[in-house]
């Protein structure tokens, strides 16, 4: 997908004391979110109408995604994905 390497890149506020790194990429009305859990505890992320394009060390549930330590998830917004 072109959106993975092109478009506007917006980093979340990342600090040394936080266990998550995230960013959003936007192109022509499409949007992906990426979360990387660099901490030692499970990180719970709501799906909010998104589905996982790819992930590692995750448990994808109806309500959201649990990202294990050192895991990541890349989510895409879909208007009618049934997520």
């Amino acid at each position: 997908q072109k959106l993975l390497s092109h478009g506007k890149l917006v980093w979340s506020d990342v600090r040394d004391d936080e266990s998550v790194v995230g960013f959003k990429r936007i192109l022509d009305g499409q949007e992906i979110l990426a979360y990387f859990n660099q901490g030692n505890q499970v990180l719970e992320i709501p799906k909010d109408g998104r589905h996982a394009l790819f992930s590692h060390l995750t448990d994808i549930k109806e309500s959201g995604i649990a990202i294990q330590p050192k895991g990541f998830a890349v989510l895409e917004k879909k208007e009618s994905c049934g997520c």
Side-chain angles (χ1 to χ4, degrees):
Q1 285 192 3
K2 188 175 184 178
L3 184 57
L4 293 174
S5 60
H6 294 79
K8 181 180 178 182
L9 182 64
V10 181
W11 285 94
S12 65
D13 185 18
V14 179
R15 295 184 291 266
D16 289 340
D17 61 344
E18 291 190 3
S19 63
V20 64
V21 174
F23 69 85
K24 180 190 308 188
R25 190 177 284 276
I26 305 165
L27 177 68
D28 298 332
Q30 293 180 297
E31 175 182 297
I32 59 170
L33 294 172
Y35 296 99
F36 301 87
N37 184 357
Q38 61 184 8
N40 295 320
Q41 297 191 10
V42 176
L43 174 68
E44 298 280 343
I45 301 291
K47 286 171 56 174
D48 293 335
R50 295 176 171 84
H51 75 281
L53 286 176
F54 47 91
S55 62
H56 178 66
L57 296 174
T58 59
D59 182 18
I60 300 174
K61 307 172 188 174
E62 186 117 354
S63 60
I65 300 174
I67 306 174
Q68 301 296 320
K70 311 306 180 212
F72 70 88
V74 177
L75 311 173
E76 179 180 36
K77 179 84 170 185
K78 286 287 189 185
E79 293 302 321
S80 58
C81 73
C83 304

